[in-house]
Coordinates of all heavy atoms in Angstrom, one line a residue:
Chain O
L168 N 14.6 -35.9 -180.3 CA 14.6 -37.0 -181.2 C 15.2 -38.3 -180.5 O 15.0 -39.4 -181.0 CB 15.5 -36.7 -182.4 CG 14.8 -35.7 -183.4 CD1 15.8 -35.3 -184.5 CD2 13.5 -36.1 -183.9
T169 N 15.9 -38.1 -179.4 CA 16.4 -39.3 -178.7 C 15.8 -39.5 -177.4 O 15.9 -40.6 -176.8 CB 17.9 -39.2 -178.5 OG1 18.2 -38.1 -177.6 CG2 18.7 -38.9 -179.8
G170 N 15.1 -38.6 -176.8 CA 14.6 -38.7 -175.4 C 15.7 -38.5 -174.4 O 15.4 -38.7 -173.2
E171 N 16.9 -38.2 -174.8 CA 18.0 -38.0 -173.8 C 18.4 -36.6 -173.8 O 18.1 -35.8 -174.8 CB 19.3 -38.8 -174.4 CG 19.1 -40.2 -174.7 CD 19.3 -41.1 -173.6 OE1 19.9 -40.7 -172.6 OE2 18.9 -42.3 -173.6
S172 N 19.0 -36.1 -172.7 CA 19.5 -34.8 -172.7 C 20.7 -34.7 -173.7 O 21.4 -35.7 -173.9 CB 19.9 -34.3 -171.3 OG 21.0 -35.0 -170.9
G173 N 21.0 -33.5 -174.2 CA 22.0 -33.3 -175.1 C 23.4 -33.1 -174.4 O 23.5 -33.3 -173.2
Y174 N 24.4 -32.7 -175.2 CA 25.7 -32.5 -174.6 C 26.5 -31.4 -175.4 O 27.7 -31.2 -175.1 CB 26.5 -33.8 -174.5 CG 26.7 -34.5 -175.8 CD1 27.8 -34.2 -176.6 CD2 25.8 -35.5 -176.3 CE1 28.1 -34.9 -177.8 CE2 26.0 -36.2 -177.5 CZ 27.1 -35.8 -178.2 OH 27.3 -36.5 -179.4
F175 N 25.9 -30.8 -176.4 CA 26.6 -29.9 -177.2 C 27.0 -28.6 -176.6 O 28.1 -28.0 -176.8 CB 25.8 -29.6 -178.5 CG 25.4 -30.8 -179.2 CD1 24.0 -31.0 -179.4 CD2 26.3 -31.8 -179.6 CE1 23.6 -32.2 -180.1 CE2 25.8 -33.0 -180.2 CZ 24.5 -33.2 -180.5
D176 N 26.2 -28.0 -175.7 CA 26.5 -26.8 -175.1 C 27.3 -27.1 -173.8 O 26.8 -26.9 -172.7 CB 25.2 -26.0 -174.7 CG 25.6 -24.6 -174.1 OD1 26.7 -24.1 -174.4 OD2 24.7 -24.1 -173.4
S177 N 28.5 -27.5 -174.0 CA 29.3 -27.9 -172.9 C 30.8 -27.6 -173.2 O 31.1 -27.4 -174.3 CB 29.2 -29.5 -172.6 OG 29.6 -30.2 -173.7
R178 N 31.6 -27.6 -172.2 CA 33.0 -27.3 -172.4 C 33.9 -28.5 -171.9 O 33.5 -29.3 -171.1 CB 33.4 -26.0 -171.6 CG 32.6 -24.8 -172.2 CD 33.4 -23.5 -171.9 NE 33.3 -23.2 -170.5 CZ 34.0 -22.1 -170.0 NH1 34.7 -21.3 -170.8 NH2 33.9 -21.9 -168.7
V179 N 35.1 -28.4 -172.4 CA 36.1 -29.5 -172.0 C 37.3 -28.8 -171.5 O 37.8 -27.9 -172.2 CB 36.4 -30.4 -173.2 CG1 37.5 -31.3 -172.9 CG2 35.1 -31.2 -173.6
V180 N 37.9 -29.2 -170.4 CA 39.2 -28.7 -169.9 C 40.2 -29.8 -170.3 O 39.9 -31.0 -170.2 CB 39.1 -28.3 -168.4 CG1 38.8 -29.5 -167.6 CG2 40.5 -27.7 -168.0
F181 N 41.3 -29.4 -170.7 CA 42.3 -30.4 -171.2 C 43.7 -29.8 -171.1 O 43.9 -28.7 -170.7 CB 42.0 -30.8 -172.7 CG 42.2 -29.7 -173.7 CD1 43.3 -29.6 -174.5 CD2 41.3 -28.6 -173.8 CE1 43.4 -28.6 -175.5 CE2 41.4 -27.6 -174.7 CZ 42.5 -27.6 -175.5
V182 N 44.7 -30.6 -171.5 CA 46.1 -30.2 -171.5 C 46.5 -30.0 -173.0 O 46.4 -30.9 -173.8 CB 47.0 -31.2 -170.9 CG1 48.5 -30.8 -171.0 CG2 46.7 -31.4 -169.4
S183 N 46.9 -28.7 -173.3 CA 47.4 -28.4 -174.6 C 48.8 -28.7 -174.7 O 49.6 -28.3 -173.7 CB 47.1 -26.9 -174.9 OG 47.6 -26.6 -176.1
E184 N 49.3 -29.4 -175.7 CA 50.6 -29.8 -175.8 C 51.3 -29.3 -177.0 O 50.7 -29.2 -178.1 CB 50.7 -31.4 -175.9 CG 50.0 -32.1 -174.7 CD 50.4 -33.6 -174.7 OE1 51.0 -34.1 -175.7 OE2 50.0 -34.2 -173.7
S185 N 52.6 -28.9 -176.9 CA 53.4 -28.6 -178.0 C 54.8 -29.0 -177.8 O 55.3 -29.2 -176.7 CB 53.3 -27.1 -178.3 OG 53.8 -26.4 -177.1
G186 N 55.6 -29.1 -178.9 CA 56.9 -29.6 -178.8 C 57.1 -31.1 -178.9 O 56.1 -31.8 -178.8
P187 N 58.4 -31.5 -179.1 CA 58.6 -33.0 -179.3 C 58.4 -33.7 -178.0 O 58.3 -33.1 -176.9 CB 60.1 -33.0 -179.8 CG 60.7 -31.7 -179.3 CD 59.6 -30.7 -179.3
K188 N 58.4 -35.0 -178.1 CA 58.1 -35.9 -176.9 C 59.0 -35.6 -175.7 O 58.6 -35.7 -174.6 CB 58.1 -37.3 -177.3 CG 56.9 -37.8 -178.0 CD 57.2 -39.1 -178.7 CE 56.8 -40.3 -177.9 NZ 56.9 -41.6 -178.7
D189 N 60.3 -35.4 -176.0 CA 61.3 -35.2 -174.9 C 61.4 -33.8 -174.4 O 62.2 -33.5 -173.5 CB 62.6 -35.8 -175.3 CG 63.2 -35.1 -176.6 OD1 62.4 -34.4 -177.2 OD2 64.4 -35.3 -176.8
Q190 N 60.6 -32.9 -175.0 CA 60.6 -31.5 -174.5 C 59.2 -30.9 -174.6 O 59.0 -29.8 -175.1 CB 61.6 -30.6 -175.4 CG 63.0 -30.9 -175.2 CD 63.9 -30.0 -176.0 OE1 63.5 -29.0 -176.6 NE2 65.1 -30.4 -176.2
R191 N 58.3 -31.7 -174.2 CA 56.9 -31.3 -174.4 C 56.5 -30.3 -173.4 O 56.7 -30.4 -172.2 CB 56.0 -32.5 -174.3 CG 54.6 -32.3 -174.8 CD 53.9 -33.5 -175.4 NE 54.5 -33.8 -176.7 CZ 54.2 -34.9 -177.3 NH1 53.4 -35.8 -176.8 NH2 54.7 -35.2 -178.5
A192 N 55.9 -29.2 -173.9 CA 55.4 -28.1 -173.1 C 53.9 -28.4 -172.9 O 53.2 -28.7 -173.9 CB 55.6 -26.8 -173.8
K193 N 53.4 -28.2 -171.7 CA 52.0 -28.5 -171.4 C 51.4 -27.4 -170.7 O 52.0 -26.8 -169.8 CB 51.9 -29.8 -170.6 CG 52.4 -31.1 -171.2 CD 52.0 -32.3 -170.4 CE 52.2 -33.5 -171.2 NZ 51.5 -34.7 -170.7
R194 N 50.2 -27.0 -171.1 CA 49.4 -26.0 -170.3 C 47.9 -26.3 -170.3 O 47.4 -27.0 -171.2 CB 49.7 -24.6 -170.9 CG 49.5 -24.5 -172.4 CD 49.9 -23.1 -172.9 NE 49.9 -23.1 -174.3 CZ 49.8 -22.0 -175.0 NH1 49.6 -20.8 -174.5 NH2 49.8 -22.1 -176.4
L195 N 47.3 -25.9 -169.3 CA 45.9 -26.2 -169.2 C 45.1 -25.3 -170.1 O 45.5 -24.1 -170.3 CB 45.3 -25.9 -167.8 CG 45.7 -26.8 -166.6 CD1 44.8 -26.5 -165.4 CD2 45.5 -28.3 -167.0
A196 N 44.1 -25.8 -170.7 CA 43.2 -25.1 -171.6 C 41.8 -25.5 -171.5 O 41.5 -26.6 -170.9 CB 43.7 -25.2 -173.1
I197 N 40.9 -24.7 -171.9 CA 39.5 -25.0 -171.9 C 38.9 -24.6 -173.3 O 39.4 -23.7 -174.0 CB 38.8 -24.1 -170.8 CG1 37.5 -24.7 -170.4 CG2 38.8 -22.7 -171.1 CD1 36.9 -24.1 -169.1
M198 N 37.9 -25.4 -173.7 CA 37.3 -25.2 -175.0 C 35.9 -25.6 -175.1 O 35.4 -26.3 -174.1 CB 38.1 -26.0 -176.1 CG 38.0 -27.5 -175.9 SD 39.0 -28.4 -177.1 CE 38.4 -30.1 -176.7
D199 N 35.2 -25.3 -176.1 CA 33.9 -25.8 -176.3 C 34.1 -27.3 -176.6 O 35.1 -27.7 -177.1 CB 33.1 -25.1 -177.5 CG 32.9 -23.7 -177.2 OD1 33.0 -23.2 -176.0 OD2 32.4 -23.0 -178.1
Y200 N 33.0 -28.1 -176.5 CA 33.2 -29.6 -176.7 C 33.7 -29.9 -178.1 O 34.3 -30.9 -178.3 CB 31.8 -30.3 -176.4 CG 31.0 -30.6 -177.7 CD1 31.1 -31.8 -178.2 CD2 30.3 -29.6 -178.3 CE1 30.4 -32.1 -179.4 CE2 29.7 -29.8 -179.5 CZ 29.7 -31.1 -180.1 OH 29.1 -31.3 -181.2
D201 N 33.4 -29.0 -179.0 CA 33.8 -29.3 -180.4 C 35.2 -28.7 -180.8 O 35.5 -28.7 -182.0 CB 32.7 -28.8 -181.4 CG 32.4 -27.3 -181.3 OD1 33.1 -26.7 -180.4 OD2 31.5 -26.8 -182.0
G202 N 35.9 -28.2 -179.8 CA 37.3 -27.7 -180.1 C 37.3 -26.2 -180.4 O 38.4 -25.7 -180.6
A203 N 36.2 -25.6 -180.4 CA 36.1 -24.1 -180.7 C 36.4 -23.3 -179.4 O 36.3 -23.9 -178.3 CB 34.8 -23.7 -181.2
N204 N 36.8 -22.1 -179.6 CA 37.0 -21.1 -178.4 C 38.0 -21.6 -177.4 O 37.7 -21.6 -176.2 CB 35.6 -20.9 -177.7 CG 34.7 -20.1 -178.6 OD1 35.1 -19.3 -179.4 ND2 33.4 -20.4 -178.5
V205 N 39.2 -22.0 -177.8 CA 40.2 -22.5 -176.9 C 40.7 -21.3 -176.1 O 41.1 -20.2 -176.7 CB 41.3 -23.2 -177.6 CG1 42.5 -23.5 -176.7 CG2 40.9 -24.5 -178.3
Q206 N 40.8 -21.4 -174.8 CA 41.4 -20.4 -173.9 C 42.4 -21.1 -173.0 O 42.2 -22.3 -172.6 CB 40.4 -19.8 -173.0 CG 39.4 -18.9 -173.7 CD 38.3 -18.5 -172.7 OE1 37.4 -19.2 -172.4 NE2 38.6 -17.3 -172.1
Y207 N 43.5 -20.5 -172.7 CA 44.6 -21.1 -171.9 C 44.5 -20.7 -170.5 O 44.3 -19.5 -170.2 CB 46.0 -20.8 -172.5 CG 46.1 -21.4 -173.9 CD1 45.9 -20.6 -175.0 CD2 46.3 -22.8 -174.1 CE1 45.9 -21.2 -176.3 CE2 46.4 -23.3 -175.3 CZ 46.2 -22.5 -176.4 OH 46.2 -23.1 -177.7
L208 N 44.6 -21.6 -169.6 CA 44.4 -21.3 -168.1 C 45.8 -21.2 -167.4 O 45.8 -20.7 -166.3 CB 43.6 -22.4 -167.5 CG 42.2 -22.5 -168.1 CD1 41.4 -23.7 -167.4 CD2 41.4 -21.3 -167.9
T209 N 46.8 -21.8 -167.9 CA 48.1 -21.8 -167.3 C 49.2 -21.6 -168.4 O 48.9 -21.7 -169.6 CB 48.5 -23.0 -166.5 OG1 48.7 -24.1 -167.4 CG2 47.5 -23.4 -165.5
D210 N 50.4 -21.2 -168.0 CA 51.5 -21.2 -168.9 C 52.2 -22.5 -168.9 O 51.7 -23.4 -168.2 CB 52.4 -20.0 -168.7 CG 53.1 -20.1 -167.3 OD1 53.3 -21.3 -166.8 OD2 53.3 -19.1 -166.7
S211 N 53.2 -22.7 -169.7 CA 53.8 -24.0 -169.8 C 55.1 -24.1 -169.0 O 55.9 -25.0 -169.2 CB 54.1 -24.3 -171.3 OG 55.0 -23.3 -171.8
R212 N 55.3 -23.3 -168.0 CA 56.5 -23.3 -167.2 C 56.6 -24.6 -166.4 O 57.7 -25.2 -166.1 CB 56.7 -22.1 -166.3 CG 57.2 -20.9 -166.9 CD 57.4 -19.8 -166.0 NE 56.0 -19.3 -165.6 CZ 55.8 -18.3 -164.8 NH1 56.8 -17.5 -164.4 NH2 54.6 -17.9 -164.5
S213 N 55.5 -25.1 -165.9 CA 55.5 -26.4 -165.1 C 54.7 -27.4 -165.8 O 53.7 -27.1 -166.6 CB 54.9 -26.1 -163.8 OG 55.5 -25.0 -163.1
I214 N 55.0 -28.7 -165.6 CA 54.2 -29.8 -166.2 C 52.8 -29.7 -165.5 O 52.7 -29.6 -164.3 CB 54.8 -31.1 -165.9 CG1 56.2 -31.2 -166.4 CG2 54.0 -32.2 -166.4 CD1 57.0 -32.5 -166.0
V215 N 51.8 -29.8 -166.3 CA 50.4 -29.9 -165.7 C 49.8 -31.1 -166.3 O 50.0 -31.4 -167.5 CB 49.6 -28.6 -166.0 CG1 50.0 -27.5 -165.2 CG2 49.6 -28.3 -167.5

Side-chain angles (χ1 to χ4, degrees):
Chain O
L168 294 174
T169 66
E171 309 269 344
S172 67
Y174 58 89
F175 308 121
D176 185 27
S177 61
R178 296 203 290 176
V179 172
V180 61
F181 66 104
V182 174
S183 177
E184 301 192 354
S185 58
K188 278 163 96 172
D189 57 347
Q190 288 178 20
R191 192 149 287 173
K193 297 190 167 195
R194 47 187 174 156
L195 287 193
I197 196 168
M198 64 181 187
D199 296 351
Y200 98 99
D201 57 2
N204 292 327
V205 172
Q206 294 174 273
Y207 298 97
L208 302 176
T209 67
D210 60 34
S211 59
R212 277 180 295 185
S213 308
I214 302 172
V215 287

